[in-house]
Structure formats: C-alpha cells, structure tokens
Amino acid sequence: MLHRLRGLGLSARVFERGEGVGGTWYWNRYPGARCDTESVTYSYSFSEALEQEWVWTERYAPQPELLAYANHVADRFELRRDIQFQTAVTSAIYDDVVRKWTISTDRGEKINARFCISAVGCLSAAALPDYPGLDDFAGEWYHTGHWPHERVDFRGKRIGIIGTGSSGVQSTIAIADEAAHLYVFQRTPNYSIPAWNGPLAPDALHAVKANYRQWREAARYAQIGIPFSSNGKSAKVASPDEREREYEAAWAEGGFNFVMAYSDLLTDLESNRTAADFVARKIREKVKDPGVAELLIPNDHPLGTKRLCVDTGYYETFNRANVTLVDIRRAPIETITPHGLRTTTESYDLDMLVFATGFDAITGPLLKIDIRGKGGELLQDKWAGGPRTYLGLTTVGFPNFFTITGPGSPCVLSNMLVSIEQHVDWITACVEHMRNAHFASVEPTLEAENDWVKTVHDIGHTTLYPLTNSWYTGTNIQGKVRMFTPYAGGVGTYRRVCDAVAADGYEGFEFTYADGSASI
Ligand code: N01
C-alpha cells in the first residue's frame, strides 16, 4: 500500500507495533511455523523483477524465510523510511468539518491524514484463555502468536500445549522432537491434510517463473486465490471407486486442494461426509493406538469448516513415546497450577505451557483501536451486531477509511497475498479517481452497504461454514456475535464485482467535494 501511495505521489506513513516488518511472520515465530500456501503463490506479484529474483527454497516456506522475504521487499522498495516501528495506533478519529482523520499513537503523537487505511490483519489479536492460576505458574509460558525472538529451549522439559488448530499442529510436531514429554491438550480435533513439504526443485521454480504472469492471473480468478480448481463434480453422485481415486489423488497432491477435490465439499453435508470419512481412514492408518486415532478424528464439524490444517507428520507424532494426547473435551482444564495444570480428572506436572489458542479474528485487531467516524460514532458500536461493510473495504459513516482484507471480503478464505494486492490496487485506483475529480471524501451509501451485507450473508449460508463453531464464526471469543463474515463467493467473483463497481463510476459510493457538496 505504501509503495502504491508513493507511486501516486502522495505522502504516507505506516505505523507498526512490531520492531520490524512481516506482520504475521514477525509475530508467529513458534517452532515449525510455515505457510501452508505454496510459496510461489503466497508471494507478491506487483513487481516482476521481485518475483524473478527471489528464490524460494521449499514448497511451503518456513517462517524465517517468509520474514526474510518481507525484509527484502521492505529494503528493495525502500519502505522503511516511511514506517514507524514500535508504535501502536490507539485511535483514529474523523473530523467531519475538515474531512481529515487524526491518528493517535501510544507514543503520544497525533497525525492528520486525508485517508486512513487499516492493514491490521485478520489474525493478529492473540486470544488467551482465562484459566485461573496462570499468574502463579512457575514455569515458562508462551502464546504462538507472540513467540519470543530468542530461541526457546524445550530440551529435557515437560511441556503442555493447549490448542490443535494450525499453530498447535505445526508446533506440536516441532516441540515433540525436542521435549522430554509433550502433552497435547485437545478440545476439538481438526482435520489436517499432508503438505508433502520438501525442497523446491530449481526446475520447478523455474517453470513457474517462466510463466509467472499466467500463474498469477490464474490465482487472481481462482476460488481461493490459489491456481487450482475442482473437477466441477458433486462428490455424492460419484461412485465410491471414483471418489476413492479422486481423494487419493488430492491427498497425494497435499494441502488445501484436498477440499477442492469435488465442487460441493463445502456446500453439501453428504458430499462433505465422504471426504471426512476418507480422512478418518487415513488417520486410523497413521496412528498406531486405535483409541488415540479415534480421539484425533473430528466428529463435530464438516471437513474444512474450521480452517483446514496442513502438516508434515502431525498424526505420526502421536506414535511417539514422548507424546500424550489429552482429551480436554471429556475432562476440561480446571486451573493452571504453579507446577502444571489440573483437569477435572487429573493433574499434570509441566515445566512449560504453550498456548496455541488462536485469535480474536477478522474484526478483533481493528476493534481494539478506538475508531470514530462522523458524529463521533464508534466503530465498535456500529459493528456491535457484527461487521457491516460495503465490499469489505469501506463502511458507512467512516469516510476515507479503507480496510485491507476487511470483513465482507474473501479475506481469510483466500490466499492472503492475492487478496491484499487486490485491495491495495482497488484502494489506490479509488484514491487516484478522487484526486483526479477533486473529491475530498468518499463513503458508501447505506443502500449499497445493506445490499452487500445481505449478499455476504446469503452466499455464506449456501456453504457449510456457518454450521460450525470456529474463529470464522467468532464463537472462539466469549461475547462475540456469532456471524460468518467473510465473502464466500470466491476470490475471482469478488474481484469481478469490485472491478465492475469501479468501472461503473464507483457505484454505491458517494463522493463529496471540499465545500461539502456531493457529486451526482
Ligand atoms: O488458532 P485456531 P491457530 N481451552 O483458532 C483451542 C492461521 N494460521 O492459531 O476448536 C482449550 O485455529 C481451540 O479449540 P476449539 C490459519 O488461518 C496459518 O491455530 O475452540 N482449547 C483450537 O484447537 C489458522 O486457522 C498458519 O475447541 C482452546 C485452538 O485452540 C489461524 O491462523 C499457521 C481454548 C485454536 O486454533 C488460527 O490458527 C498458523 C481453551 N480455552 C495459523 N481456546 C499457516 O499458514 C482455544 N482453544 C500454516
């Protein structure tokens, strides 16, 4: 965004809480952290030189490589001089008279700006369970989303990890390699698909690079921003043999495309069941102890409606003698004790606790900032019943305020890099349009916002996602409204809608001149 705004000749300043760039890849340094979208796709496309010069070493990049990439991009495009690190934004307040935002930081600064663009991310507000006793825990404890920069030593230690989502799955594998003993406290098993990660062969990388424009174009118009597609068929009408072949092929390919094996796996319960049964069989094959295998098999949600995990050796980890799976659904954790934790049935002595307990997702990071629009309206109040946006980019009452990967856009249902770039380009074009036409402010109409909220809801409810308690529906955070807020119609469809809105003279938006008069 900074690069694009500079390209328009505007002055821009970025505020960043961390000491460095990288966002997710700056904070989530837990052992085993890696992206589960393939690196050749999970990378910037805005510079052909950049995509040609950067060499990915693995099919799925590990966190240090992604952080190195973010740093390389920051250096290459000389971004740092306009980024203020170690600075949290505390409030953003719109002044309707001068049509400007005042941004305040935790360093006591106040900055005036014509535009305020949120790039706070969807998964950056870590959630910690409120078990009693944590303050008295004598050992070390960490949250995967706030992992220290220094190496954490697991050797010889009894470690408890709470949470079995993507972060828990990845760190379990890595910690088990070193710990004296690892207890995995599982409340809800999730589905994990093998990544088959490994070195990225130079000729495979070269083949993508030789054809990168086509590759990127395919990603931009694909369902989830990754260039693969389903066979277009329904799983439930396929014969059992045919399904088995299809699932075996998808399993052998690995990663997210498993859920794209058939076109209706995320919209039809019966079809979904066939894929879930296949994965359950795989888990039983991999895990030696049948009791442990049964515990690891999800039984309370359709496959893929909690974000799928992608792993290298997760289920096999439970065959190790130094790993114990503890079912805290059956016997919940009662309290953290000075030397471990106690469930309703047992006590565990632990030297270290790892919380892989996720995030106040999608709206969480934004709503932690005091954001006030016209008439002093608080965004928290406006969104008290769930987020309301037009295109996931703007919201009524908050002029000149844009949300990169905001709720109501494909955001977390997509390859984030593709979605981020699409939003950045759309916002850049809108700002440029305003400059050319001498508009001072832009805001969606209530009608456009109402229609979009309904569209997002209606499309979401054609899928199975709303059935499940998950961070997608906000149920992981106490008191949060249960609502499925991402746009589930697909990255390509969404892009076409956004492009059409812009091509139609920004249909659904109202522009205002500096003297307060509105455009027609
Ligand atoms: O968080 P999660 P995450 N007591 O919310 C459990 C992205 N990501 O950090 O399901 C006990 O998925 C909770 O249990 P339950 C990716 O989009 C990407 O793992 O609520 N357990 C669940 O098991 C991902 O989806 C990558 O019953 C508690 C776990 O903690 C998203 O980030 C890597 C609990 C939380 O799982 C979030 O993943 C990592 C409690 N009080 C993350 N509270 C890659 O690209 C929560 N849990 C690879």
Side-chain angles (χ1 to χ4, degrees):
M1 190 76 247
L2 172 58
H3 182 62
R4 283 280 189 258
L5 292 172
R6 279 184 187 166
L8 289 183
L10 298 177
S11 66
R13 206 156 152 196
V14 177
F15 298 97
E16 165 58 51
R17 208 160 26 119
E19 286 172 17
V21 296
T24 280
W25 305 107
Y26 173 89
W27 297 103
N28 291 266
R29 311 167 172 248
Y30 59 83
R34 71 173 64 245
C35 187
D36 49 18
T37 300
E38 291 180 61
S39 316
V40 291
T41 310
Y42 188 91
S43 47
Y44 289 117
S45 71
F46 69 87
S47 159
E48 288 191 36
L50 170 69
E51 67 188 6
Q52 288 299 328
E53 77 199 9
W54 185 262
V55 178
W56 296 107
T57 63
E58 294 183 54
R59 185 175 173 194
Y60 298 91
Q63 176 270 335
E65 192 164 321
L66 285 154
L67 191 57
Y69 176 68
N71 277 290
H72 171 73
V73 174
D75 291 336
R76 196 186 190 290
F77 297 95
E78 296 178 18
L79 301 178
R80 288 179 211 277
R81 66 184 144 90
D82 288 318
I83 307 178
Q84 187 171 321
F85 293 104
Q86 291 180 281
T87 306
V89 169
T90 51
S91 72
I93 297 172
Y94 187 70
D95 183 330
D96 210 10
V97 177
V98 294
R99 295 174 199 282
K100 284 205 169 145
W101 285 91
T102 300
I103 318 289
S104 303
T105 75
D106 61 355
R107 293 177 168 227
E109 298 148 300
K110 286 195 188 306
I111 300 97
N112 290 325
R114 171 72 62 202
F115 296 97
C116 176
I117 302 173
S118 160
V120 293
C122 295
L123 292 159
S124 52
L128 193 66
D130 58 354
Y131 292 127
L134 185 56
D135 286 346
D136 300 322
F137 181 59
E140 305 155 69
W141 68 267
Y142 306 100
H143 189 290
T144 48
H146 275 284
W147 202 261
H149 290 212
E150 303 72 38
R151 188 183 134 71
V152 174
D153 192 356
F154 304 108
R155 285 171 301 180
K157 293 181 182 157
R158 295 159 303 176
I159 297 167
I161 181 165
I162 301 172
T164 52
S166 298
S167 307
V169 163
Q170 291 186 328
S171 38
T172 287
I173 302 163
I175 296 172
D177 264 345
E178 275 190 34
H181 202 94
L182 177 64
Y183 295 90
V184 180
F185 294 96
Q186 172 189 274
R187 187 164 67 181
T188 313
N190 199 358
Y191 294 91
S192 192
I193 308 297
W196 309 117
N197 185 41
L200 189 56
D203 47 341
L205 183 58
H206 179 73
V208 173
K209 284 187 174 180
N211 225 352
Y212 234 144
R213 297 278 53 78
Q214 222 175 317
W215 182 271
R216 299 295 195 187
E217 206 57 8
R220 287 181 189 132
Y221 289 94
Q223 177 72 17
I224 60 170
I226 302 175
F228 55 65
S229 52
S230 85
N231 60 13
K233 296 181 187 164
S234 162
K236 67 183 177 192
V237 299
S239 72
D241 284 353
E242 206 179 317
R243 268 200 307 262
E244 195 67 11
R245 276 197 303 278
E246 201 67 49
Y247 289 143
E248 279 295 355
W251 187 264
E253 176 61 25
F256 284 120
N257 63 348
F258 185 81
V259 85
M260 306 285 286
Y262 285 95
S263 62
D264 60 351
L265 293 185
L266 288 170
T267 53
D268 187 289
L269 266 179
E270 199 182 329
S271 290
N272 188 285
R273 187 75 251 160
T274 65
D277 288 347
F278 177 88
V279 177
R281 283 203 301 281
K282 289 289 184 192
I283 296 172
R284 290 189 187 104
E285 279 169 23
K286 284 168 184 260
V287 180
K288 289 189 187 135
D289 181 326
V292 174
E294 290 314 306
L295 261 187
L296 286 166
I297 294 171
N299 58 14
D300 76 333
H301 65 277
L303 179 141
T305 57
K306 266 182 190 289
R307 163 63 153 71
L308 272 188
C309 302
V310 177
D311 72 280
T312 302
Y314 178 61
Y315 294 114
E316 294 83 345
T317 300
F318 293 92
N319 295 332
R320 300 177 64 126
N322 70 333
V323 175
T324 303
L325 182 66
V326 183
D327 180 5
I328 54 168
R329 170 79 59 196
R330 191 181 54 80
I333 295 173
E334 267 184 351
T335 184
I336 311 288
T337 63
H339 300 289
L341 64 76
R342 194 172 66 235
T343 69
T344 50
T345 56
E346 243 174 288
S347 288
Y348 296 85
D349 287 336
L350 303 168
D351 305 304
M352 187 191 295
L353 272 170
V354 173
F355 292 93
T357 45
F359 301 89
D360 182 354
I362 308 176
T363 52
L366 199 55
L367 295 184
K368 296 209 181 328
I369 303 170
D370 188 11
I371 300 174
R372 289 167 197 266
K374 287 198 307 204
E377 184 183 20
L378 254 180
L379 190 61
Q380 283 100 322
D381 290 342
K382 176 174 174 184
W383 287 5
R388 299 181 50 80
T389 69
Y390 179 39
L391 301 176
L393 275 159
T394 55
T395 188
V396 174
F398 295 76
N400 293 358
F401 176 62
F402 297 101
T403 48
I404 298 175
T405 65
S409 77
C411 57
V412 294
L413 300 182
S414 71
N415 172 358
M416 282 307 224
L417 272 273
V418 168
S419 286
I420 288 168
E421 284 195 328
Q422 187 240 335
H423 272 185
V424 164
D425 287 343
W426 195 94
I427 294 166
T428 305
C430 183
V431 169
E432 189 174 21
H433 170 75
M434 289 176 67
R435 192 178 58 178
N436 293 344
H438 307 289
F439 293 131
S441 63
V442 60
E443 188 185 345
T445 65
L446 187 57
E447 190 189 358
E449 182 173 288
N450 285 342
D451 285 352
W452 188 251
V453 169
K454 183 173 178 333
T455 299
V456 171
H457 172 273
D458 290 352
I459 295 176
H461 282 73
T462 64
T463 73
L464 304 175
Y465 289 112
L467 299 179
T468 296
N469 287 333
S470 70
W471 62 258
Y472 284 148
T473 47
T475 54
N476 64 326
I477 301 297
Q478 220 178 358
K480 197 166 173 173
V481 175
R482 190 187 202 286
M483 190 172 175
F484 179 72
T485 57
Y487 173 86
V491 165
T493 308
Y494 172 78
R495 176 183 292 271
R496 287 189 186 94
V497 171
C498 291
D499 288 351
V501 164
D504 277 353
Y506 292 91
E507 199 190 344
F509 286 100
E510 220 165 57
F511 293 93
T512 309
Y513 294 103
D515 66 2
S517 60
S519 74
I520 303 164

